[in-house]
Amino acid sequence: MTYQYTLYNEPFQAIKDGYKNVEMRLYDEKRQLLSIGDYIIFVNKTNGESIEAAVKGLTRYKNFDELYAAYPDKTVIGYKPGKVADPKDMLRYYSEASIKKWGALAIEIEVAER
């Protein structure tokens, strides 16, 4: 199955440049449909550019605090070296109530070469 998600420019570029290989999302009804082996087409909200990635792993967490703790190398989740990684950054995208209701999902990805 192939899905399409939009991303802001910075995380899109991080995937394209090869240092972000874990996409973080709410574990809502849409993400519950994902399976290992699926593909995600990420579309850059800024310029419409797209990139396809294969889903290599899926791990559910109670919240983004747990998800961040599971990845000591924060570059894999999109933080540049030297940048402070904070789970509260996810509040830009999701409300505390929705995080509490659904939890968080780490989607391990690999840029596809199809």
Side-chain angles (χ1 to χ4, degrees), residues 41-58:
I41 298 171
F42 292 102
V43 179
N44 186 323
K45 286 184 173 188
T46 304
N47 61 20
E49 184 180 1
S50 65
I51 193 166
E52 187 175 37
V55 176
K56 295 296 186 179
L58 298 164

Side-chain angles (χ1 to χ4, degrees), residues 66-80:
E66 287 184 3
L67 189 156
Y68 274 57
Y71 292 93
D73 177 3
K74 300 303 186 227
T75 61
V76 300
I77 58 176
Y79 286 86
K80 291 181 179 177

Side-chain angles (χ1 to χ4, degrees), residues 10-11 14 19 68 72-75 77-86 89 92-93:
E10 190 173 346
Y19 71 86
Y68 274 57
D73 177 3
K74 300 303 186 227
T75 61
I77 58 176
Y79 286 86
K80 291 181 179 177
K83 199 166 185 189
V84 176
D86 186 346
D89 290 346
R92 290 176 43 197
Y93 312 106

